[in-house]
């Protein structure tokens, strides 16, 4: 199959050509139909006149007593100028033939003219013959009981009328086509003007350098050229949507590049700090033990190495999650997991008031990676511990229903600054903008909540945050496994799912505060005894 050649003419030109050719064909068909219909009508009238003349001629011959060449009936009234009559023999040969002239007397046909009349069947059917010197005639021959006679009438009137009709129709068609062409050109130009404006907008947008710099304020198609009722409006609206997508995509690309540059800069600074510390302590040790105690130097080197190792592991974890690597999938009891995480947080931050609330209508079972989910809860608790003052109450609650499992971490600390709240789950987002900190107590690397968001997304869950002064709450929502066993409960209070508040007092022992449900059931922190 041959490939189609590209269109070299504009749409306006092709439309004009198509409409022009269509109008020419339609006009030609109408003119031809009119001419043929008029010709058929005129020929029908002429044939009737020829038949009448033949019958009159045959009747005139029957009343005459002349010889076989007698054509005197042509002198009778009723014969028009140009009427031709001929007597025929039994074989259809012309015996005598004459024609009525304008001057009145009859004119005898020559042998050549009589030859043009031979061969006509004596059946009354009309025939067209061209007679030399006389023109085209419509003739018919009648026989029957009378004398065979051939009669004809000239077709000059019919041909003149048909010729005049053709001329009139040609002139009218030419004028009409010229006028229609001009009107179509104007209409097509006006109708395609919106499409031209859309094309001009597309050309203008195509000339904008999209590969560099911030791309904003691209030209849009005007509203009057985006009406959905017209094809040009649909193209204009589609072009505007495409420009919107291009702008949003380029803006997202720029934001992504900025985040990547900021990420690389932050990661470099975070890694440079422990590396600089390690290099400094190593240099002090190389200069001699008088400047620093070896044990202190090695402790600081080990601490900075651990800090750098943790940062690298966090970055590797985020990279693996970004790649979409699958996590381990096993049934995890969120109640036990959160209780253990709270106990660990209590050990790390004894100056806070830690509480655990279990609100379970069904077992808090989810399908996921237990170690990663523990890391999520631990990071949320560590975030509350690091960024709130001593004495802050931190409540971790687990809610389980048939539809979902929810873990909430709430504290009554100062809250997250409003300008940081939209980007709290982004990487290297910290309350302090400085990159140099003297110790881990001053805050983390800014990857903790980013890891929380990434792990939650890998488990198909959702993490939300609400914060105001005096109340900050992180909400982790996970779906239960589809094949989790159903919980059967009876009508008595002994079969109800437990709801407890675990609170650690100053003696570092958990206290169970019941909410109208039986105590001593449900998961509890490791190594603790409820009282």
């Amino acid at each position: 199959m041959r490939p189609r050649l590209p269109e070299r003419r504009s749409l306006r030109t092709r439309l004009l050509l198509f409409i022009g050719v269509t109008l020419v064909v339609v006009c030609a068909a109408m003119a031809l139909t009119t001419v043929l219909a008029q010709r058929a009508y005129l020929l029908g009238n002429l044939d009737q006149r020829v038949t009448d003349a033949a019958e009159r001629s045959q009747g005139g011959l029957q009343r005459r007593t002349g010889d076989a060449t007698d054509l005197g009936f042509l002198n009778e009234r009723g014969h028009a100028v140009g009427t031709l009559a001929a007597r025929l023999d039994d074989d259809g040969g012309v015996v005598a033939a004459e024609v009525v002239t304008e001057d009145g007397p009859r004119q005898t046909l020559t042998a050549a003219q009589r030859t043009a009349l031979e061969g006509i069947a004596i059946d009354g059917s009309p025939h067209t013959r061209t007679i030399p010197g006389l023109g085209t005639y419509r003739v018919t021959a009648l026989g029957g009981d009378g004398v065979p006679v051939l009669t004809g009438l000239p077709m000059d009137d019919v041909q003149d009328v048909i010729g005049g009709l053709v001329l009139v129709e040609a002139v009218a068609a030419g004028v009409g086509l010229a006028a229609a062409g001009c009107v179509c050109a104007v209409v097509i130009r006006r109708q395609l003007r919106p499409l031209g404006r859309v094309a001009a907008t597309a050309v203008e947008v195509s000339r904008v350098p999209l590969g560099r710099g911030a791309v904003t304020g691209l030209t849009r198609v005007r509203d009057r050229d985006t009406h959905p009722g017209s094809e040009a409006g649909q193209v204009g609206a589609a072009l505007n949507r495409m420009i919107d997508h291009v702008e949003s995509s380029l803006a997202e690309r720029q934001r992504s590049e900025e985040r990547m540059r900021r990420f690389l800069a932050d990661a470099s600074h975070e890694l440079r700090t422990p590396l600089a510390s390690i290099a400094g302590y190593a240099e002090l040790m190389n200069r001699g033990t008088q400047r620093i105690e070896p044990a202190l130097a090695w402790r600081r080197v080990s601490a900075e190495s651990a800090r750098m190792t943790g940062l690298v592991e966090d970055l590797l974890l985020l990279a693996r999650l970004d790649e979409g690597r699958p996590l381990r999938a096993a049934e995890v009891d969120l109640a036990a997991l959160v209780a253990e995480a709270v106990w660990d947080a209590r050990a790390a931050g004894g100056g806070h008031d830690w509480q655990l609330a279990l609100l379970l209508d069904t077992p808090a079972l989810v399908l996921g990676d237990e170690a990663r989910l523990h890391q999520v809860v631990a990071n949320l608790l560590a975030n509350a511990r690091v960024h709130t003052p001593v004495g802050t109450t931190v409540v971790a609650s687990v809610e389980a229903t048939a539809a979902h499992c929810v873990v909430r971490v709430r504290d009554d600390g100062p809250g997250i600054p409003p300008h940081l709240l939209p980007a709290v789950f982004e990487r290297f987002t910290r309350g302090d903008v400085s990159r140099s900190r003297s110790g881990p107590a001053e805050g983390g690397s800014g990857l903790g909540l980013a890891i929380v968001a990434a792990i939650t997304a890998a488990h198909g869950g959702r993490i939300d945050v609400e914060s105001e002064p005096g109340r900050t709450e992180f909400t982790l929502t996970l779906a239960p496994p589809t094949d989790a066993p159903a919980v059967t409960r009876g009508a008595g209070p002994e079969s109800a799912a437990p709801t407890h508040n675990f609170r650690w007092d100053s003696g570092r022992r958990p206290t169970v505060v019941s909410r109208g449900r039986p105590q001593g059931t449900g998961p509890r922190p490791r190594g603790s005894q409820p009282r």
Side-chain angles (χ1 to χ4, degrees), residues 151-512:
T151 305
L153 291 175
M155 295 183 62
D156 293 342
D157 293 341
V158 174
Q159 291 177 341
D160 291 343
V161 171
I162 297 299
L165 179 62
V166 170
L167 178 62
V168 170
E169 289 189 344
V171 173
V175 174
L177 288 175
C182 295
V183 172
C184 289
V186 174
V187 171
I188 290 175
R189 181 182 297 274
R190 294 191 62 181
Q191 294 300 318
L192 292 181
R193 194 171 296 165
L195 189 59
R197 290 194 292 265
V198 172
T201 301
V203 171
E204 184 177 352
V205 172
S206 67
R207 293 174 178 172
V208 177
L210 303 178
R212 61 182 184 275
V215 180
T216 56
L218 294 178
T219 304
R220 299 295 198 281
V221 180
R222 289 179 290 182
D223 293 340
R224 67 173 183 172
D225 296 331
T226 59
H227 194 279
S230 64
E231 288 76 7
Q234 295 173 8
V235 174
L239 180 60
N240 278 351
R241 289 194 298 270
M242 184 184 70
I243 294 175
D244 291 338
H245 293 165
V246 169
E247 272 196 350
S248 60
S249 300
L250 292 177
E252 180 61 29
R253 184 194 68 182
Q254 186 177 6
R255 288 193 297 268
S256 177
E257 291 177 353
E258 290 177 355
R259 288 196 300 267
M260 179 60 67
R261 287 192 293 267
R262 187 171 63 250
F263 173 80
L264 292 176
D266 290 338
S268 300
H269 281 280
E270 291 291 339
L271 290 173
R272 186 179 64 178
T273 300
L275 285 175
S277 299
I278 293 173
Y281 284 114
E283 180 65 22
L284 289 176
M285 293 180 64
N286 288 334
R287 292 181 180 181
T289 58
Q290 291 81 10
R291 296 181 177 271
I292 189 173
E293 295 182 4
L296 176 60
W298 281 116
R299 283 198 303 270
R300 296 304 303 158
V301 168
S302 299
E304 295 298 334
S305 298
R307 176 183 172 186
M308 184 171 60
T309 301
L311 178 60
V312 172
E313 289 178 351
D314 289 344
L315 293 174
L316 289 176
L317 174 60
L318 288 173
R320 294 190 185 100
L321 293 175
D322 289 342
E323 291 176 0
R325 294 188 183 182
L327 300 174
R328 295 179 182 179
E331 198 171 79
V332 180
D333 185 353
L334 279 183
L337 184 145
V338 173
E340 293 178 358
V342 172
W343 180 253
D344 294 340
R346 170 65 182 86
H352 289 66
D353 183 13
W354 301 93
Q355 296 183 15
L356 172 65
L358 303 179
L359 311 173
L360 308 178
D361 292 336
T362 62
L365 300 177
V366 296
L367 194 65
D369 190 327
E370 182 175 4
R372 295 308 177 195
L373 291 176
H374 186 277
Q375 185 177 5
V376 168
V377 179
N379 283 4
L380 292 176
L381 295 174
N383 181 75
R385 173 176 54 83
V386 172
H387 297 287
T388 58
V390 175
T392 301
T393 299
V394 182
V395 180
S397 64
V398 181
E399 302 173 11
T401 63
H404 55 259
C405 296
V406 179
V407 177
R408 304 181 192 274
V409 177
R410 184 178 67 254
D411 65 73
D412 57 0
I416 301 174
H419 69 278
L420 289 179
L421 197 58
V424 71
F425 294 109
E426 295 183 3
R427 300 169 188 183
F428 294 108
T429 298
R430 297 187 301 267
D432 58 326
V433 295
S434 63
R435 293 192 176 99
S436 59
R437 293 177 301 279
S438 59
E442 297 184 7
S445 62
L447 297 177
L449 293 182
I451 292 175
V452 168
I455 295 176
T456 302
H459 282 82
R462 187 179 72 254
I463 182 72
D464 301 302
V465 61
E466 296 179 358
S467 182
E468 60 184 14
R471 184 180 181 277
T472 299
E473 181 176 276
F474 288 86
T475 303
L476 171 66
T477 305
L478 297 172
T482 55
D483 55 349
V487 177
T488 303
R489 294 182 293 178
E494 292 80 2
S495 59
T499 298
H500 300 298
N501 271 0
F502 291 85
R503 185 179 62 200
W504 280 262
D505 57 15
S506 58
R508 296 187 179 181
R509 298 187 63 186
T511 301
V512 180

